[in-house]
Amino acid sequence: MPDKQSFYQEINETTIFDENFHKKVYGYSVCDESFLPTVAAKLTGIGRKDVIQAYNEWFTRWKAEDDKVMKSVAEWYMKECDKKFEEFQKEQQEKAVEDWKQKKIALLLEKKNLLLLTEN
């Protein structure tokens, strides 16, 4: 990944360590587990351990917000699944009633035919 490599290579004392920096570190570390410790080592090497602490604080806030959003999405999705299940159950009940009616009609027709046969 040339972008990840160039991002890493450009980290130095003059880098702006803002939220965008933290997002990039997080993003690259999602796909590469060794990226975060590698960046931390480089930051330590240039005397910027404070950035590691700032990243940890940013990540904690971001994760809490992400968890809140995901919980909200999960609650919504669960309600949608419940609605779909209720619709499915209703359809199955309606189908069962319709099947029962059709069987009853067929049996009544069969009974009628038998009665007609026994009359003749």
Side-chain angles (χ1 to χ4, degrees):
M1 287 182 159
D3 291 332
K4 179 177 75 172
Q5 286 299 348
S6 63
F7 172 76
Y8 176 78
Q9 294 300 326
E10 292 171 3
I11 296 173
N12 60 46
E13 299 83 6
T14 63
T15 300
I16 298 172
F17 301 107
D18 58 2
E19 184 173 10
N20 286 331
F21 175 83
H22 299 315
K23 286 179 181 178
K24 286 180 183 179
V25 170
Y26 175 71
Y28 289 132
S29 67
V30 167
C31 297
D32 179 358
E33 292 179 11
S34 66
F35 190 71
L36 190 58
T38 303
V39 170
K42 185 166 189 175
L43 290 169
T44 300
I46 61 172
R48 293 302 308 262
K49 283 186 176 183
D50 61 312
V51 176
I52 298 168
Q53 181 62 34
Y55 172 83
N56 290 335
E57 291 168 3
W58 170 85
F59 180 79
T60 300
R61 286 190 310 274
W62 175 85
K63 184 70 174 140
E65 184 62 30
D66 185 62
D67 288 349
K68 195 163 53 170
V69 169
M70 285 295 136
K71 182 179 179 185
S72 171
V73 169
E75 289 169 353
W76 168 83
Y77 187 66
M78 198 157 118
K79 287 178 187 175
E80 289 297 308
C81 289
D82 288 344
K83 278 192 238 177
K84 293 242 188 256
F85 183 69
E86 286 173 16
E87 290 170 8
F88 172 77
Q89 280 185 315
K90 185 178 177 183
E91 288 172 8
Q92 292 301 309
Q93 288 172 346
E94 289 170 358
K95 184 178 182 285
V97 167
E98 188 59 36
D99 288 349
W100 176 81
K101 286 179 184 177
Q102 293 298 323
K103 286 179 184 177
K104 185 175 180 180
I105 289 170
L107 289 171
L108 288 172
L109 286 173
E110 189 177 327
K111 182 178 179 181
K112 179 182 171 187
N113 288 336
L114 289 171
L115 287 172
L116 288 173
L117 284 174
T118 55
E119 285 179 1
N120 295 331

